[in-house]
Amino acid sequence: MAGKLDVYRRKRDFARTPEPAGAPEPGAGTGRFVVQRHRARRLHYDLRFEIDGVLVSWAVPKGPTLDPKARRLAVHVEDHPIEYLLFEGVIPSGEYGGGDVIVWDTGTWEPVHTDDPRAAVEAGELHAEVHGHKLRGRLVLVRRDGGDGDDWMLLHKRDEHAVEGWDAEDHPVSVISGRTNDEVKADPDRLWRSDAPAAEASVSLLPEPLPDEAIDELEALGKQGTWEVFGRRLKVTNLDKVLFPGRAGEPPVTKRELLAYAARIAPVALPYLEGRALNMHRYPEGAERPGFWHKQRPEHAPEWLECWENPDADEGETTAYVVPGEPAALVWAANFGALEWHPWTSRTERPHEPSYALIDLDPGERTGWEDLLVLARLHRTALDHVGVTGRAKVTGRRGIQIWIPVVAGYTFEDTRAWVETLSRTVGKVVPELVSWKWEVKARKGLARLDYTQNAINKTLVAPYSPRPAAGAPVSVPIEWDELDDPDLRPDRWTVRTVLDRLAERGDPFRALLGAAQELPELT
Ligand code: MN
């Protein structure tokens, strides 16, 4: 075993860490293989076979193939630690192999014609029967020129799994996440720290969930008290007050339950709120009494709560806004009676430049849920057609919104005009569903495709914000294909159910973080 990882170790600097590097898992044997699509300085595919507890590896510039006519160059590279097997994420630029990595294929394999694959590799010829999602059948690796260089040839035998003309680049999606390299690069779940011991090299970039003990402490408080959460000491009040009536057959939602939700969702919701002024829709007497907008950061707000002074504020307008810069800020807002969180569409450092173009599908009284789904699907098709990335969310009330991340430099006039052009094109397909009238009455119950929300200090409800209605429904991001889920409803999820959904499905809006794009000209 000794020596197999020496080259790997030499290429990395372990000086920063005293732990022994790259100890193989005891008893790990032959069995698994992986192909990672790795965009480093050059795109290549890393083909790795698990042998004696390490990953014996080749870099294949054009990728492995099922095409029996193809002969692929495969450069034998150093063994990799077994911990790398299902790594998908980014390797920081400047480090060895810097770039983005997806698990392009994985499965099991058996060596053919030998019981000693390590010896077969040393002898310069490995036959492998692979059972992956994309790769199946017999792969053969042969060292070129019979020498001892690193250049090998990779081919697929002409067997029942062979497919002529098959090209890896036509199958670009990860088999474990369904994402492309671009999508993983835009929003990596993990980082590979090449300088760390293998067991610690894969670092999660996902938000740290709130420990259960923090919720236990909230439960143990009386009607009010001091709650230590996310490292902040917050005075929390009126904890047993009912803020939302229950849905049929369910108990009402108290302020204590709202605070628990705010704390649990904060690490997930924060990326959509941080660095932005927060407009708070407050309902201190609960969702059944009228609410009001509160934008001014109150005098009694704790010092750690970030603040932004709006340089454009006119006489009598809000001068100082709360900017949620950490998870505890959302708990503070919930305790302040903010049942709804509305972040600005622009960031405080560039208040006149939106970072999202927003499509607000606003149903009229006569708009059925199926009609709204039609409008959402048509927008999805239109976005696909012009090559623009966006994601939808249900509002928690009746509507659907589509958020489109844009690069810096656009004005609100720009995004508003772009969304108007797109939505008018969509509206022409289904004129019977849509009204362009400004007055609600004049719309005759039809839906509005509301591009006017693209304006400074106009806001849409934040992803994962509660809404002031029975059961405390939540605005929830969805995947596009969920538009076809017969159980989808605009108010399907509540503060009681959305965390389970997140655990199962993840957060579809994460794909938008880091995906800022230019908007193509629409004609
Ligand atoms: Mn590589």
Side-chain angles (χ1 to χ4, degrees):
M1 196 77 69
K4 282 177 192 165
L5 286 170
D6 283 355
V7 182
Y8 178 86
R9 286 192 193 92
R10 273 205 300 279
K11 288 194 178 175
R12 289 155 179 80
D13 172 19
F14 290 105
R16 282 199 260 161
T17 47
E19 294 87 345
E25 279 181 3
T30 296
R32 295 171 291 179
F33 83 96
V34 68
V35 180
Q36 282 147 321
R37 188 173 185 275
H38 182 186
R39 290 194 307 187
R41 257 175 316 177
R42 290 225 176 114
L43 168 68
H44 59 272
Y45 291 71
D46 290 301
L47 170 62
R48 310 183 192 280
F49 296 101
E50 181 182 16
I51 299 177
D52 298 340
V54 295
L55 298 172
V56 178
S57 300
W58 287 262
V60 186
K62 290 189 169 174
T65 180
L66 301 177
D67 186 347
K69 286 183 170 167
R71 300 287 179 270
R72 295 281 198 245
L73 169 67
V75 181
H76 190 200
V77 296
E78 73 274 20
D79 295 345
H80 267 55
I82 202 74
E83 288 85 349
Y84 196 72
L85 182 81
L86 294 180
F87 176 76
E88 179 168 299
V90 296
I91 303 171
S93 60
E95 291 199 27
Y96 173 75
D100 44 80
V101 178
I102 62 164
V103 176
W104 180 84
D105 196 18
T106 190
T108 59
W109 76 288
E110 296 114 39
V112 184
H113 308 316
T114 179
D115 303 331
D116 188 351
R118 172 61 74 177
V121 172
E122 273 156 24
E125 186 164 338
L126 178 67
H127 293 238
E129 189 74 19
V130 298
H131 317 277
H133 299 264
K134 296 172 184 172
L135 295 180
R136 293 186 165 270
R138 183 76 50 86
L139 294 178
V140 178
L141 281 148
V142 188
R143 190 184 287 138
R144 274 188 172 172
D145 309 324
D148 57 1
D150 290 330
D151 284 0
W152 292 51
M153 186 183 69
L154 171 66
L155 58 88
H156 192 285
K157 284 268 193 187
R158 191 175 286 282
D159 58 21
E160 56 174 319
H161 299 289
V163 180
E164 282 197 16
W166 196 94
D167 185 352
E169 286 292 288
D170 296 334
H171 308 265
V173 166
S174 161
V175 294
I176 60 171
S177 71
R179 301 201 294 171
T180 63
N181 278 79
D182 274 337
E183 287 167 339
V184 166
K185 182 186 180 188
D187 178 31
D189 289 350
R190 304 197 82 82
L191 194 74
W192 186 266
R193 286 188 51 202
S194 309
D195 59 329
E200 297 164 21
S202 182
V203 179
S204 174
L205 298 173
L206 296 173
E208 283 281 318
L210 183 75
D212 287 342
E213 294 74 50
I215 300 296
D216 295 343
E217 284 162 24
L218 176 67
E219 298 296 338
L221 290 177
K223 283 192 171 100
Q224 57 183 38
T226 302
W227 187 25
E228 188 163 340
V229 65
F230 297 113
R232 299 295 188 186
R233 289 170 64 77
L234 277 169
K235 213 175 253 171
V236 291
T237 53
N238 294 319
L239 291 173
D240 295 323
K241 186 171 196 160
V242 168
L243 289 185
F244 306 82
R247 288 185 168 177
E250 288 180 21
V253 178
T254 62
K255 192 173 179 192
R256 193 188 307 268
E257 191 170 359
L258 176 70
L259 295 192
Y261 171 74
R264 282 200 161 114
I265 204 68
V268 179
L270 194 64
Y272 314 110
L273 293 153
E274 64 187 342
R276 297 164 192 277
L278 180 68
N279 294 349
M280 294 176 280
H281 214 176
R282 288 184 65 206
Y283 292 77
E285 298 308 316
E288 288 188 297
R289 304 288 291 279
F292 55 90
W293 287 102
H294 190 125
K295 302 180 182 178
Q296 185 77 29
R297 182 187 192 276
E299 292 291 332
H300 60 73
E303 274 201 10
W304 53 262
L305 197 64
E306 251 178 67
C307 178
W308 174 64
E309 311 261 352
N310 182 5
D312 299 329
D314 289 328
E315 188 82 18
E317 284 187 340
T318 303
T319 52
Y321 288 80
V322 170
V323 177
E326 55 183 290
L330 278 186
V331 184
W332 174 86
N335 184 64
F336 190 46
L339 299 198
E340 272 188 3
W341 315 323
H342 287 242
W344 279 32
T345 308
S346 53
R347 296 194 178 88
T348 54
E349 73 265 21
R350 296 162 182 261
H352 296 278
E353 295 182 17
S355 67
Y356 292 97
L358 302 172
I359 301 171
D360 186 14
L361 309 181
D362 188 8
E365 291 136 45
R366 283 170 49 214
T367 310
W369 175 235
E370 286 302 323
D371 299 334
L372 203 68
L373 291 173
V374 166
L375 291 168
R377 288 189 196 106
L378 286 170
H379 276 90
R380 178 202 184 175
T381 305
L383 291 175
D384 272 353
H385 185 71
V386 296
V388 166
T389 297
R391 285 285 187 284
K393 69 181 178 70
V394 293
T395 61
R397 304 302 296 265
R398 296 186 60 219
I400 294 177
Q401 302 162 355
I402 299 166
W403 289 38
I404 298 161
V406 300
V407 295
Y410 289 111
T411 63
F412 280 101
E413 289 73 28
D414 293 334
T415 53
R416 191 162 61 240
W418 192 87
V419 170
E420 179 179 3
T421 304
L422 188 87
S423 286
R424 284 193 184 272
T425 308
V426 166
K428 278 181 194 150
V429 181
V430 281
E432 70 280 11
L433 296 182
V434 177
S435 168
W436 296 99
K437 294 284 190 322
W438 182 254
E439 291 286 317
V440 175
K441 262 191 180 162
R443 271 181 241 150
K444 301 200 165 120
L446 298 180
R448 179 156 69 137
L449 308 179
D450 191 1
Y451 53 87
T452 68
Q453 297 297 327
N454 293 284
I456 192 163
N457 209 343
K458 279 207 175 185
T459 52
L460 296 185
V461 68
Y464 304 107
S465 170
R467 306 305 303 272
V474 172
S475 181
V476 179
I478 58 170
E479 298 288 354
W480 284 117
D481 60 10
E482 293 185 83
L483 292 175
D484 300 323
D485 180 344
D487 292 331
L488 185 68
R489 293 289 178 277
D491 57 355
R492 176 174 178 182
W493 293 284
T494 70
V495 296
R496 291 187 178 138
T497 58
V498 74
L499 291 155
D500 285 344
R501 168 188 163 81
L502 266 169
E504 272 166 38
R505 299 282 309 234
D507 172 16
F509 259 34
R510 275 180 61 92
L512 302 181
L513 300 174
Q517 62 208 308
E518 290 185 21
L519 297 174
E521 201 142 320
L522 302 175
T523 47

